[in-house]
């Protein structure tokens, strides 16, 4: 993100007396959140989200959002990967697949965490994922590399970043590295209190950073990892509660992996797990009153369809049973949903580019002054 351009465009807005609206909302009517909880369901297209309505036992938490939109997910390719998709959210720029925190010409670009911390170092930042914490989606909030595959380097950049709290997998990138850097010593130097055994809340100390790495690489799938994502998210929310302002990114990473596997059962469990966490974020936001919750996806994975039953020869159909089907083992370019709740949520309705998520979050937080 180019801060100069943002500040200039903000100034341009405020210096123009006739332009008092942003996304159709009067600037002085816009409520500004102090906190953002941003939930990314990796690979969660409209069908994936819909699955919660057919397979869940209760009304999904997705129903609790008053504002709904859709985003276009392309990177500089027609179909994005998770690195470029996450960079669009974190930095507000389209880039090439595989890139993290770099623009299409491989220039380093500032991400929202760096921007918010530069304005106010006290802003609390947390990242939670069910992948390795070095995986593409979370990595876009602290790293700048030409390839998402550089997990050792990405972990080093996490330690050197200003992220205050992180939870996910990725122990191997600390303890089994391909180089000779002692990352555990680096972590201690950086004031990171690391737990590799359990997802427990701690007596958070001011000024300390907290890390949880609970798997060698990615976390196990939903049934095996139990309520890890919920506990990690609740711990992050608890850690950030005392901060006046904060940014928390939570990723349901494996909705995407289930799509790649064309595995409907795995997908269903991952979406339901993610929806429970969405519920916890909303519960907090309802109580807090100053928290914006945004849920979206970087792209759709699998060409997942809640199809009706059809016999192999096509002669018989049954619209009373759903047989999940997939059209690809990769990603697709379908638009994906955006849900928003809380102050500033009005900004997120409509159909727009993935990079707008970044801009809308900044406008919500900073306003147009
Ligand atoms: Mg991901
Ligand atoms: Zn994927």
């Amino acid at each position: 993100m180019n801060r100069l351009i943002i500040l200039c465009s903000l100034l341009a807005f405020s210096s123009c007396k006739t332009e008092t609206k942003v996304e159709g909302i009067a600037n002085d009517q816009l409520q500004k959140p102090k906190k953002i909880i941003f939930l990314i369901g990796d690979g969660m297209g409209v069908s994936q989200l819909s699955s919660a309505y057919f397979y869940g036992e209760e009304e999904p938490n997705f129903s609790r959002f008053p504002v709904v939109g859709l985003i276009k997910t392309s990177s500089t390719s027609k179909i994005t990967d998770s690195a470029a998709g996450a960079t669009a959210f974190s930095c507000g720029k389209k880039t090439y697949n595989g890139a993290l925190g770099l623009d299409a010409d491989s220039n380093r670009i500032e991400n929202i965490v760096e921007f918010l911390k530069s304005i106010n170092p006290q802003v609390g930042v947390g990242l939670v994922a069910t992948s390795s914490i070095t995986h593409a989606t979370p990595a876009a909030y602290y790293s700048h590399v030409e390839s998402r595959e550089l997990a050792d380097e990405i972990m080093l950049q996490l330690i050197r970043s200003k992220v205050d709290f992180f939870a996910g997998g990725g122990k191997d990138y600390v303890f089994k590295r391909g180089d000779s850097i002692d990352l555990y010593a680096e972590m201690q130097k950086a004031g990171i209190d690391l737990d590799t055994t359990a997802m427990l809340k701690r007596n958070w100390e001011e000024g300390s950073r907290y890390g949880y790495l609970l798997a060698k690489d990615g976390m196990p799938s939903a049934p095996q990892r139990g309520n890890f994502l919920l506990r990690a998210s609740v711990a992050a929310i608890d850690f950030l509660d005392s901060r006046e302002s904060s940014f928390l990114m939570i990723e349901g990473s494996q909705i995407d992996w289930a799509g790649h596997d064309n595995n409907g059962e795995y997908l269903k469990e991952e979406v339901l797990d993610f929806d429970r966490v969405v519920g916890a974020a909303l519960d907090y936001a309802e109580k807090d009153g100053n928290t914006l919750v945004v849920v979206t996806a970087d792209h759709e994975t699998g060409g997942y369809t809640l199809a009706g039953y059809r016999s192999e020869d096509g002669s018989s159909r049954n619209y009373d049973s759903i047989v999940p089907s997939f059209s690809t083992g990769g990603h697709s370019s379908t638009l994906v949903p955006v849900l928003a709740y809380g102050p500033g949520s009005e900004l997120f309705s409509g159909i727009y580019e993935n990079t707008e998520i970044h801009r809308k979050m900044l406008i919500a937080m900073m306003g147009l002054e």
Side-chain angles (χ1 to χ4, degrees), residues 42-43 81-82 148 256-257 260 298-299 301 330-331:
D42 197 312
D81 83 323
S82 294
R148 57 185 287 174
D256 172 68
W257 302 357
H260 283 292
D298 46 358
H299 53 75
T301 306
H331 301 170

Side-chain angles (χ1 to χ4, degrees), residues 310-348:
R310 178 177 175 271
S311 63
E312 275 195 12
D313 63 4
S315 63
S316 122
R317 288 175 197 276
N318 176 351
Y319 282 172
D320 289 318
S321 60
I322 289 168
V323 183
S325 68
F326 295 86
S327 64
T328 172
H331 301 170
S332 76
S333 60
T334 181
L335 306 191
V336 300
V338 182
L339 311 173
Y341 171 91
S345 58
E346 319 88 282
L347 296 168
F348 292 84

Side-chain angles (χ1 to χ4, degrees), residues 237-292:
I237 289 169
D238 186 62
F239 168 75
L240 295 169
D241 183 49
S242 63
R243 304 287 181 116
E244 202 196 317
S245 182
S246 64
F247 178 84
L248 170 61
M249 193 288 302
I250 299 168
E251 185 197 20
S253 318
Q254 298 189 28
I255 298 169
D256 172 68
W257 302 357
H260 283 292
D261 286 357
N262 284 192
N263 183 334
E265 193 59 29
Y266 181 10
L267 193 152
K268 170 184 107 179
E269 295 294 338
E270 291 296 335
V271 172
L272 292 175
D273 184 56
F274 183 66
D275 182 66
R276 276 189 285 275
V277 176
V278 166
L282 285 172
D283 291 346
Y284 177 78
E286 282 173 3
K287 259 197 324 210
D288 179 63
N290 269 317
T291 299
L292 167 67

Side-chain angles (χ1 to χ4, degrees), residues 49-348:
L49 184 144
S50 307
S51 71
Y53 288 80
F54 291 94
Y55 298 123
E57 281 168 15
E58 290 157 18
E59 182 72 10
N61 289 295
F62 297 134
S63 292
R64 295 166 63 187
F65 290 87
V67 176
V68 178
L70 291 169
I71 49 169
K72 306 176 202 174
T73 64
S74 296
S75 58
T76 53
S77 296
K78 284 206 172 66
I79 299 180
T80 192
D81 83 323
S82 294
T87 299
F89 294 152
S90 66
C91 302
K93 287 247 167 74
K94 301 261 187 191
T95 189
Y96 55 92
N97 290 346
L100 288 166
L102 303 178
D103 69 14
D105 300 318
S106 291
N107 299 306
R108 182 191 173 102
I109 41 176
E110 191 178 44
N111 63 52
I112 189 167
V113 169
E114 292 160 345
F115 177 73
L116 293 175
K117 287 273 191 184
S118 74
I119 302 283
N120 173 10
Q122 303 307 316
V123 172
V125 174
L127 303 175
V128 175
T130 54
S131 60
S132 166
I133 202 68
T134 58
H135 212 261
T137 310
Y141 291 87
Y142 60 82
S143 75
H144 303 271
V145 289
E146 286 190 26
S147 166
R148 57 185 287 174
E149 302 302 325
L150 302 169
D152 281 354
E153 171 62 22
I154 292 170
M155 182 60 89
L156 184 61
Q157 293 192 18
L158 170 61
I159 292 165
R160 292 178 177 170
S161 76
K162 293 190 169 139
V163 172
D164 301 293
F165 178 107
F166 58 86
K171 266 190 284 194
D172 275 0
Y173 309 110
V174 177
F175 299 108
K176 280 197 167 173
R177 298 172 59 80
D179 58 27
S180 58
I181 305 176
D182 182 347
L183 237 68
Y184 187 67
E186 287 268 340
M187 274 206 189
Q188 288 181 309
K189 245 191 286 167
I192 298 173
D193 185 340
L194 180 67
D195 193 329
T196 57
T197 59
M199 192 62 244
L200 298 172
K201 277 189 199 171
R202 280 179 262 173
N203 292 321
W204 315 117
E205 279 174 38
E206 219 180 295
S208 279
R209 297 168 68 195
Y210 293 90
Y212 297 84
L213 297 176
L214 300 178
K216 290 176 173 195
D217 194 356
M219 294 296 294
S221 60
Q224 285 78 46
R225 69 173 182 266
N227 57 2
F228 161 78
L229 187 59
L230 183 62
R231 292 180 66 170
S233 303
V234 168
I237 289 169
D238 186 62
F239 168 75
L240 295 169
D241 183 49
S242 63
R243 304 287 181 116
E244 202 196 317
S245 182
S246 64
F247 178 84
L248 170 61
M249 193 288 302
I250 299 168
E251 185 197 20
S253 318
Q254 298 189 28
I255 298 169
D256 172 68
W257 302 357
H260 283 292
D261 286 357
N262 284 192
N263 183 334
E265 193 59 29
Y266 181 10
L267 193 152
K268 170 184 107 179
E269 295 294 338
E270 291 296 335
V271 172
L272 292 175
D273 184 56
F274 183 66
D275 182 66
R276 276 189 285 275
V277 176
V278 166
L282 285 172
D283 291 346
Y284 177 78
E286 282 173 3
K287 259 197 324 210
D288 179 63
N290 269 317
T291 299
L292 167 67
V293 180
V294 179
V295 177
T296 191
D298 46 358
H299 53 75
E300 194 277 340
T301 306
Y304 176 64
T305 311
L306 293 162
Y309 168 82
R310 178 177 175 271
S311 63
E312 275 195 12
D313 63 4
S315 63
S316 122
R317 288 175 197 276
N318 176 351
Y319 282 172
D320 289 318
S321 60
I322 289 168
V323 183
S325 68
F326 295 86
S327 64
T328 172
H331 301 170
S332 76
S333 60
T334 181
L335 306 191
V336 300
V338 182
L339 311 173
Y341 171 91
S345 58
E346 319 88 282
L347 296 168
F348 292 84

